[in-house]
């Protein structure tokens, strides 16, 4: 059965609120056993919180737009109260987050077979959430803000074909979900707006993310294990394939919320362009990261504002340090990088705890080109967030490794601009490590 929201009283003129009509169509579809709820082309539907239900395909036709309301209280579906409407500390200094916001746009919980489809647009209306604005960065007026899509404990979740744009917070946040298929999305977010991640699988199992184009700040695809979702178990059995990613933080990231394990995850055939960091494994809590592979990845990085965005233009950063002094930090092990090419202005960083909790990291067919893109050569390493100093002094190097074991990159191909060669000395900088085998086969421009 097909249920057109226009038949339930929606106006679709971009001005009037269509929330009640959209929800009535979803409820009727669900009550009848399922079907498709359609937002028709050539209309702009204004809405606050929408609750999706089991066996409903929420379909936005090509030429149709679902636009978030201009009124923030329209997303306060559970009558919660904002305890801190203004951010007192910038989110790049403190963005600790338990994992569940208090307000929502598209929401579903404890359902089965939930689908969002169609070639239309879902627009998060980001401007109504703006706080402080600078040339490099836009913070929100409160934190956490409204995610575009929040799905909790869904078995059988599909999001495909739609364009998601101008999200004010995490764009697609499945938490505790299983059998998830995210395919052919175009996520087009503001590269200055903090915390508008692309896709954040959180304590999820059996996930496929394929054929997506994502532009977002902070990060594009982020695996999470938040405190809120601990009952749902590890984040595991995930495939990311054939995605194009651009980010002012990290294009692909693990963490920093890491209250459980990440395991059996494959990322392949992805293209990362114009990003601050390419791949970042940021373990900060008591979970672990293991059995992860990256294959056929191209990375193009440049440095952004160090104050506002974590990272220093590294193509790959693997870090496992304590979030707080009393954190029982986990480990990272059995991670492989195969056939990875990098064009960047900083080298690879591997930085562990003095207990040497990063082990068995392997690079095969690694090709790195160091290019002076911005003229900004930094002499520190960014470890935010962490208990110790957020940055540590360090000379530029192609491989910077601390407190790690069994690191193998023998050989890797290095090309370097002549004006960088003297600054990146030594090429390989290791300390507090064991069984490290990193050797270059080509050094250009010395």
């Amino acid at each position: 059965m097909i249920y057109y929201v226009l038949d339930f009283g929606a106006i679709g003129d971009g001005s009037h609120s269509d929330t009640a009509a959209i929800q009535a169509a979803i409820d009727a579809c669900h009550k009848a056993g399922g079907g498709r709820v359609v937002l028709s082309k050539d209309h702009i539907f204004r809405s606050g919180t929408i609750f999706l239900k089991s066996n409903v395909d929420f379909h936005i036709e090509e030429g149709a737009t679902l636009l978030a309301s201009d009124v923030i209280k329209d997303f306060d579906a559970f009558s919660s109260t904002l305890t801190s409407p203004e951010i007192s500390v910038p989110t790049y200094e403190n963005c600790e987050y338990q994992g569940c916001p208090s307000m929502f746009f598209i929401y579903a919980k404890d359902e089965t077979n939930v689908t969002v489809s169609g070639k239309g647009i879902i627009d998060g209306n980001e401007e109504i959430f703006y706080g402080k604005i600078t040339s490099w960065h836009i913070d929100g007026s409160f934190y956490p803000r409204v995610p575009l899509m929040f799905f909790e404990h869904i078995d059988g979740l599909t999001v495909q074909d739609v364009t998601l744009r101008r999200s004010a917070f995490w764009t697609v946040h499945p938490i505790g979900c299983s059998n998830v298929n995210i395919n052919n999305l175009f996520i087009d977010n503001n590269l200055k707006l903090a915390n508008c991640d692309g896709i954040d699988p959180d304590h999820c199992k059996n996930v496929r993310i394929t054929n997506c184009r994502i532009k977002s700040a902070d990060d594009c695809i982020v695996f999470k294990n938040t405190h809120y979702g601990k009952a749902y178990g590890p984040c595991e059995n995930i495939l990311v394939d054939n995605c194009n990613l651009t980010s002012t933080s990290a294009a692909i990231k693990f963490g920093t919320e890491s209250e459980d394990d990440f395991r059996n995850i494959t990322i392949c055939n992805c293209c990362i362009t114009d990003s601050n960091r390419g791949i970042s494994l940021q373990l900060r809590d008591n979970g672990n990261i293991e059995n992860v592979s990256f294959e056929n990845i191209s990375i193009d990085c440049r440095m952004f504002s160090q104050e506002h965005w974590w990272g220093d233009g590294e193509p790959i950063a693997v870090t496992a340090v304590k979030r707080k002094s009393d954190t029982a930090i986990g480990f990272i092990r059995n991670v492989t990088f195969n056939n990875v090419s990098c064009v960047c202005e900083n080298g690879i960083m591997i930085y562990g705890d003095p207990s040497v909790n990063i082990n068995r990291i392997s690079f095969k067919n690694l090709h790195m080109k160091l290019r002076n893109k911005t003229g900004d050569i930094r002499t520190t390493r960014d470890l935010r967030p962490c208990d110790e100093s957020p940055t540590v002094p360090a000379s530029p190097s192609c491989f910077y490794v601390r407190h790690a074991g069994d690191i193998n990159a023998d050989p890797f191909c290095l090309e370097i601009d002549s004006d960088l060669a003297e600054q990146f000395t030594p090429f390989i900088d290791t300390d507090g490590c064991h069984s490290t085998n990193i050797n270059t086969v080509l050094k250009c421009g010395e």
Side-chain angles (χ1 to χ4, degrees):
M1 287 287 292
I2 298 178
Y3 299 78
Y4 292 95
V5 299
L6 292 172
D7 294 337
F8 288 78
I11 297 173
D13 63 357
S15 178
H16 292 83
S17 175
D18 294 311
T19 308
I22 293 170
Q23 193 62 56
I26 292 170
D27 293 346
C29 181
H30 169 67
K31 186 176 180 179
R36 172 171 283 184
V37 172
V38 176
L39 277 63
S40 300
K41 64 181 181 179
D42 301 325
H43 291 82
I44 299 174
F45 299 91
R46 279 274 187 180
S47 184
T49 304
I50 296 168
F51 294 84
L52 299 185
K53 303 292 181 66
S54 295
N55 303 314
V56 172
D57 177 2
F58 187 62
H59 187 83
I60 301 94
E61 288 187 338
E62 187 173 9
T65 298
L66 175 65
L67 178 60
S69 170
D70 279 333
V71 181
I72 291 179
K73 70 178 183 180
D74 287 348
F75 307 103
D76 195 7
F78 296 100
S79 299
S80 58
T81 300
L82 288 175
T83 57
S84 181
E86 297 292 334
I87 290 177
S88 58
V89 177
T91 52
Y92 52 81
E93 293 183 8
N94 181 16
C95 62
E96 292 191 13
Y97 179 44
Q98 295 298 304
C100 185
S102 59
M103 299 192 294
F104 308 90
F105 186 15
I106 298 174
Y107 176 92
K109 182 179 180 182
D110 299 330
E111 306 286 351
T112 58
N113 301 325
V114 172
T115 298
V116 179
S117 68
K119 295 184 178 181
I121 296 169
I122 302 176
D123 189 312
N125 197 12
E126 63 176 56
E127 292 88 351
I128 67 171
F129 300 96
Y130 281 4
K132 184 178 180 180
I133 301 173
T134 69
S135 59
W136 280 101
H137 183 268
I138 302 172
D139 219 332
S141 56
F142 61 94
Y143 184 91
R145 299 183 293 280
V146 177
L148 201 73
M149 297 181 176
F150 184 93
F151 303 109
E152 182 175 352
H153 193 220
I154 309 296
D155 183 11
L157 172 65
T158 298
V159 184
Q160 63 183 14
D161 298 331
V162 291
T163 293
L164 310 176
R165 70 185 186 192
R166 303 197 313 137
S167 179
F169 196 60
W170 297 2
T171 308
V172 182
H173 182 188
I175 179 168
C177 295
S178 57
N179 303 311
V180 177
N181 180 34
I182 299 174
N183 179 57
N184 197 37
L185 296 190
F186 178 33
I187 298 178
D188 187 14
N189 288 338
N190 189 337
L191 287 173
K192 291 184 179 181
L193 180 59
N195 318 119
C196 61
D197 296 0
I199 304 170
D200 295 65
D202 185 357
H203 294 279
C204 289
K205 298 175 176 62
N206 305 325
V207 178
R208 290 177 58 88
I209 302 172
T210 54
N211 309 311
C212 293
R213 293 178 296 147
I214 305 174
K215 182 182 74 174
S216 65
D218 296 339
D219 312 295
C220 293
I221 298 174
V222 198
F223 306 104
K224 300 283 190 183
N225 278 315
T226 59
H227 179 79
Y228 171 79
K230 285 190 71 172
Y232 295 119
C235 206
E236 62 183 350
N237 303 330
I238 297 172
L239 171 68
V240 176
D241 187 13
N242 192 35
C243 293
N244 290 281
L245 312 170
T246 299
S247 167
T248 36
S249 194
I252 297 171
K253 183 171 131 183
F254 289 62
T256 64
E257 295 86 352
S258 45
E259 295 283 354
D260 210 318
D261 293 348
F262 307 86
R263 60 192 181 214
N264 305 330
I265 298 173
T266 298
I267 297 97
C268 58
N269 308 314
C270 291
C271 180
I272 296 168
T273 57
D274 200 23
S275 294
N276 192 25
R277 274 179 175 161
I279 297 167
S280 182
L281 279 62
Q282 289 181 267
L283 192 71
R284 295 296 182 271
D285 304 301
N286 58 3
N288 307 298
I289 300 173
E290 60 181 336
N291 302 332
V292 176
S293 66
F294 298 88
E295 300 181 10
N296 304 324
I297 311 291
S298 65
I299 302 172
D300 186 291
C301 289
R302 61 179 294 272
M303 295 183 184
F304 287 78
S305 168
Q306 186 179 39
E307 177 186 3
H308 299 102
W309 304 107
W310 296 350
D312 293 316
E314 306 97 337
I316 298 169
V318 180
T319 60
V321 296
K322 294 181 178 182
R323 184 184 299 274
K324 298 179 179 179
S325 60
D326 59 352
T327 300
I329 188 70
F331 60 76
I332 300 176
R333 68 185 180 193
N334 297 335
V335 179
T336 62
F337 298 87
N338 185 25
N339 195 24
V340 176
S341 61
C342 314
V343 180
C344 46
E345 53 183 343
N346 208 342
I348 290 170
M349 174 173 66
I350 301 174
Y351 197 107
D353 184 77
S355 63
V356 188
N357 60 341
I358 300 178
N359 287 278
R360 299 197 291 276
I361 311 296
S362 173
F363 299 85
K364 299 178 181 179
N365 301 319
L366 172 64
H367 191 151
M368 184 188 303
K369 295 181 181 180
L370 282 168
R371 297 287 183 259
N372 192 350
K373 298 183 178 184
T374 65
D376 188 2
I377 304 302
R378 296 182 184 144
T379 57
T380 59
R381 292 288 177 169
D382 188 351
L383 299 177
R384 292 177 290 182
C386 62
D387 174 57
E388 56 186 286
S389 173
T391 59
V392 294
S395 299
S397 57
C398 303
F399 259 92
Y400 178 82
V401 186
R402 294 292 185 272
H403 310 307
D406 300 318
I407 311 299
N408 193 303
D410 184 22
F412 81 92
C413 181
L414 171 66
E415 298 180 34
I416 185 167
D417 280 355
S418 58
D419 61 338
L420 294 180
E422 291 186 3
Q423 298 180 63
F424 278 75
T425 303
F427 287 117
I428 300 164
D429 185 350
T430 63
D431 189 28
C433 305
H434 62 78
S435 301
T436 299
N437 187 23
I438 304 172
N439 294 294
T440 61
V441 294
L442 176 64
K443 293 176 283 189
C444 302
E446 292 182 293

